Amino acid sequence: MVQQNVNFKYGETINYNGKSARIVSQNLTGSYLRIEVDGKIITVDKNDLFGMNKSAISGLDRQIEVYDEQIKENKNLIKYYNEIWYTAKSGIKEARNKMASLLDSIGVTNAFQITNAEHKKEYAALRKERCDARMTQISASANILSTANDTVSLALHKGDLQSRQLLFGLA
């Protein structure tokens, strides 16, 4: 908060929140004024007559809360993407096992040896299932990394705001 020592005199008229106000007194240190607005006497910080410094503080606090909420939401997203990743991993394993069982059941060691059209079609469907699960796993990995990166960035920005609060005495 930047303080500029502005001097006011008893009885002087100022504009306070769009209303005319009269100076009643100021404290000995000169940082607070007592003013009369609409027949009521109130005490205000003469260096912050319009509450700008207080709103800056609350603005920082609000932004920190927004960061906290987003970090919490990101942690939940990472858990969700992890579940997708592990489900896809299970799907890959299951498709591989089915493919191996199919090859064993028809007495061949690889897909190039399959001669029956129905078996080729079944093997191709299992291979597509495995590829789809793998693509889902890759997508989930990318989402996890992206969300984790975003979370670290939010945490760093939150730390910067908290440092500003401490440095400038706004906390």
Side-chain angles (χ1 to χ4, degrees):
M1 173 168 57
V2 177
Q3 290 193 359
Q4 301 172 2
N5 289 322
V6 180
N7 293 317
F8 294 96
K9 295 185 171 89
Y10 175 79
E12 186 177 347
T13 303
I14 61 169
N15 187 7
Y16 180 76
N17 286 340
K19 298 179 181 178
S20 180
R22 186 176 60 84
I23 306 293
V24 176
S25 67
Q26 58 183 334
N27 66 351
L28 295 176
T29 62
S31 61
Y32 289 97
L33 292 173
R34 292 184 53 83
I35 60 174
E36 182 180 355
V37 181
D38 294 335
K40 297 179 186 172
I41 297 177
I42 59 171
T43 302
V44 294
D45 181 348
K46 77 174 184 181
N47 294 310
D48 192 20
L49 282 176
F50 304 105
M52 292 184 303
N53 292 329
K54 289 178 184 156
S55 66
I57 294 169
S58 63
L60 289 177
D61 288 336
R62 276 192 306 274
Q63 189 61 45
I64 288 171
E65 287 176 12
V66 167
Y67 286 152
D68 284 338
E69 290 169 15
Q70 188 63 47
I71 289 169
K72 185 178 178 180
E73 185 178 319
N74 283 0
K75 286 180 180 180
N76 291 333
L77 277 173
I78 290 171
K79 286 178 188 175
Y80 171 73
Y81 293 138
N82 271 326
E83 290 172 9
I84 291 173
W85 191 91
Y86 282 107
T87 301
K89 181 180 178 182
S90 298
I92 293 168
K93 186 176 181 179
E94 186 179 323
R96 279 189 188 147
N97 289 339
K98 287 179 182 178
M99 290 165 66
S101 294
L102 176 63
L103 292 177
D104 286 342
S105 71
I106 57 176
V108 295
T109 56
N110 65 47
F112 297 116
Q113 297 172 333
I114 301 173
T115 55
N116 183 311
E118 280 298 314
H119 291 145
K120 282 185 180 183
K121 195 184 258 187
E122 186 179 349
Y123 188 85
L126 290 172
R127 188 169 166 199
K128 182 179 180 334
E129 184 180 315
R130 185 192 67 181
C131 287
D132 288 347
R134 181 65 183 134
M135 294 310 293
T136 300
Q137 190 180 40
I138 290 169
S139 177
S141 294
N143 288 335
I144 290 167
L145 292 174
S146 174
T147 306
N149 187 39
D150 184 43
T151 304
V152 168
S153 180
L154 289 168
L156 290 172
H157 287 298
K158 175 185 168 187
D160 287 345
L161 289 180
Q162 290 172 326
S163 294
R164 271 192 241 159
Q165 283 182 320
L166 292 173
L167 183 63
F168 297 114
L170 301 173

